[in-house]
Amino acid sequence: MKILVTGGAGFIGSAVVRHIIENTKDTIINLDKLTYAGNLESLKSVENSERYFFEQVDICDRAELDRVFNTHKPDAVMHLAAESHVDRSITGPSDFIQTNIVGTYNLLEAARNYWNNLEISAKKAFRFHHISTDEVYGDLPHPDEQEGSLPLFTEQTSYAPSSPYSASKASSDHLVRAWLRTYGFPTVVTNCSNNYGPYHFPEKLIPLVILNALEGKDLPIYGEGDQIRDWLYVEDHARALYKVVTEGAIGETYNIGGHNEKQNIEVVQTICNILDALVPKDTRYAEQITYVTDRPGHDRRYAIDSSKMSAELNWTPVETFETGLRKTIEWYLANQSWCKNVQDGSYQRERLGEINS
Ligand code: NAD
């Protein structure tokens, strides 16, 4: 297969590209604008493969999208390109509306135009896989609010996004499903929980805490730190996505999650404990924890029911939170130069997403 991956220089996209080049015979066309979040250094291990091609293109540029489809003639699209950081979406929603909504619309139209002109068997085999988030569902009851067993997000859960980021992703999910229903365009959608792992840009909780801890800086906890997320190791997500694009049924949605519900404060404390063992110093890393004002509109709990993925596509995560987190920390310790290069000039781990007025 020839797969056009959008956002292949980002955190999850680069894991998808590495997974496919290293484990299959497929060809990848990586289409990425290279925003602050896109880094070709994350693709060093595959960049010399004859099955890997890179196109620096903005998904908002329709003419360039048409050129890429006509040049490379892909059999499938995996659409990961997005603005992805909730705090940035609070500070400046505009790029989120442009890329996540307008860009997805452009990509759908470029892909549909290309697909319409394919011969019958290629047209039947074509897939457009839209990669989305569990944040579109809004938040779930928290153990503080409700006793007994708590609900999980299923593929039937109604959408109720809370942030500009999740609202823009929800909009793009609706566009993708409308293109299936109206035009018969062969789409499949996945909604995944929080990912973590190597090559994660240091604005997100886990890499930010690892790097701040090592530099002796504060480890900021939003609010009480009791928000719950369901963590999935990024390579488990990449395997799941490849299964969906190759074996998933047209028109279906698949929820992907790690069965690892953790409060943010537990995540930070676990990182500190692992660092105490791996990089000991005179004081405990947990002494650097500081509580800061909460994120506006912060969702309290996310948790995924991924039983459809395991029943229908025989996928389950390989990593537990403990094994995945240890691998992640070891990767950051061994790859300080990647961390320095991706942050240079663009971001110094400052607080984003506060509303001042
Ligand atoms: P990321 O921010 O690390 O990477 C996004 C990539 O998209 C970057 O390489 C960037 O250069 C590229 N990009 C941005 N705007 C573009 C544009 N206009 N044209 C072309 N390329 C553009 O994001 P990520 O964490 O890898 O997330 C990838 C996808 O998975 C997103 O759609 C996100 O919503 C979804 N998702 C993320 C998570 C998570 O925990 N990170 C969980 C579930 C779903």
Side-chain angles (χ1 to χ4, degrees):
M1 269 173 94
K2 266 193 188 176
I3 306 176
L4 175 67
V5 174
T6 71
F11 167 49
I12 301 172
S14 69
V16 167
V17 173
R18 291 189 305 269
H19 172 74
I20 294 176
I21 294 291
E22 286 163 9
N23 297 286
T24 77
K25 295 196 163 70
D26 296 341
T27 293
I28 293 287
I29 303 100
N30 172 14
L31 183 154
D32 197 300
K33 179 182 175 182
L34 298 183
T35 66
Y36 78 95
N39 298 289
L40 293 178
E41 221 183 309
S42 308
L43 293 159
K44 279 245 171 297
S45 62
V46 297
E47 68 185 6
N48 293 325
S49 166
E50 61 202 14
R51 292 180 289 113
Y52 172 76
F53 298 87
F54 175 64
E55 293 277 5
Q56 183 167 3
V57 167
D58 184 339
I59 57 167
C60 297
D61 183 341
R62 175 64 196 273
E64 273 291 274
L65 291 178
D66 288 340
R67 180 189 62 75
V68 169
F69 275 100
N70 292 329
T71 308
H72 294 281
K73 305 195 179 349
D75 304 302
V77 173
M78 297 175 82
H79 176 35
L80 296 103
E83 288 293 334
S84 70
H85 187 35
V86 176
D87 287 344
R88 282 183 196 265
S89 82
I90 297 168
T91 303
S94 169
D95 287 348
F96 290 73
I97 305 304
Q98 279 308 314
T99 287
N100 299 0
I101 306 178
V102 180
T104 298
Y105 157 73
N106 266 303
L107 185 67
L108 280 166
E109 279 297 79
R112 185 170 73 89
N113 179 56
Y114 162 76
W115 169 78
N116 261 330
N117 293 310
L118 289 174
E119 46 96 8
I120 292 197
S121 63
K123 196 168 178 182
K124 228 172 137 194
F126 189 81
R127 292 287 180 282
F128 184 99
H129 176 184
H130 177 64
I131 285 87
S132 192
T133 165
D134 61 355
E135 301 195 26
V136 296
Y137 298 124
D139 61 0
L140 287 165
H142 191 277
D144 294 354
E145 301 154 6
Q146 191 174 311
E147 287 185 8
S149 75
L150 294 169
L152 305 172
F153 294 134
T154 72
E155 288 81 2
Q156 282 71 45
T157 303
S158 300
Y159 277 30
S162 310
S163 70
Y165 163 65
S166 55
S168 68
K169 289 297 292 186
S171 306
S172 65
D173 294 11
H174 290 317
L175 291 175
V176 170
R177 293 195 180 99
W179 259 239
L180 169 86
R181 171 96 186 235
T182 304
Y183 304 109
F185 183 58
T187 63
V188 58
V189 176
T190 50
N191 295 89
C192 187
S193 60
N194 276 46
N195 283 217
Y196 69 100
Y199 302 101
H200 206 181
F201 192 80
E203 64 191 354
K204 305 281 170 67
L205 179 70
I206 290 179
L208 182 127
V209 165
I210 297 169
L211 297 180
N212 274 13
L214 292 171
E215 290 173 20
K217 294 185 174 157
D218 287 350
L219 309 181
I221 303 283
Y222 289 0
E224 311 270 304
D226 59 353
Q227 306 84 0
I228 295 173
R229 301 291 180 262
D230 173 358
W231 293 94
L232 179 68
Y233 191 64
V234 68
E235 290 172 15
D236 279 324
H237 189 195
R239 271 192 313 110
L241 295 178
Y242 187 69
K243 275 210 166 253
V244 171
V245 78
T246 52
E247 298 171 35
I250 291 174
E252 292 297 322
T253 296
Y254 299 90
N255 276 2
I256 306 172
H259 307 291
N260 282 311
E261 283 186 55
K262 306 277 176 207
Q263 294 195 359
N264 285 349
I265 184 69
E266 276 181 88
V267 171
V268 175
Q269 273 160 348
T270 311
I271 295 171
C272 290
N273 295 342
I274 296 175
L275 285 176
D276 283 336
L278 293 179
V279 195
K281 57 175 187 163
D282 294 344
T283 54
R284 310 284 308 252
Y285 288 97
E287 289 172 29
Q288 291 163 233
I289 291 176
T290 26
Y291 289 85
V292 298
T293 50
D294 206 352
R295 168 188 282 165
H298 208 171
D299 285 331
R300 296 209 65 211
R301 175 171 168 259
Y302 303 140
I304 283 268
D305 174 353
S306 58
S307 52
K308 180 171 171 182
M309 273 300 291
S310 53
E312 296 185 14
L313 298 181
N314 196 23
W315 171 88
T316 45
V318 170
E319 301 294 342
T320 64
F321 189 64
E322 290 65 31
T323 60
L325 192 59
R326 184 169 275 269
K327 276 191 180 178
T328 304
I329 294 174
E330 285 168 350
W331 186 88
Y332 278 92
L333 290 173
N335 289 279
Q336 301 273 323
S337 65
W338 180 91
C339 302
K340 190 173 170 301
N341 295 345
V342 301
Q343 289 173 98
D344 259 5
S346 62
Y347 175 64
Q348 310 304 325
R349 301 203 293 281
E350 62 273 18
R351 173 91 195 253
L352 300 168
E354 281 184 301
I355 302 175
N356 298 321
S357 53

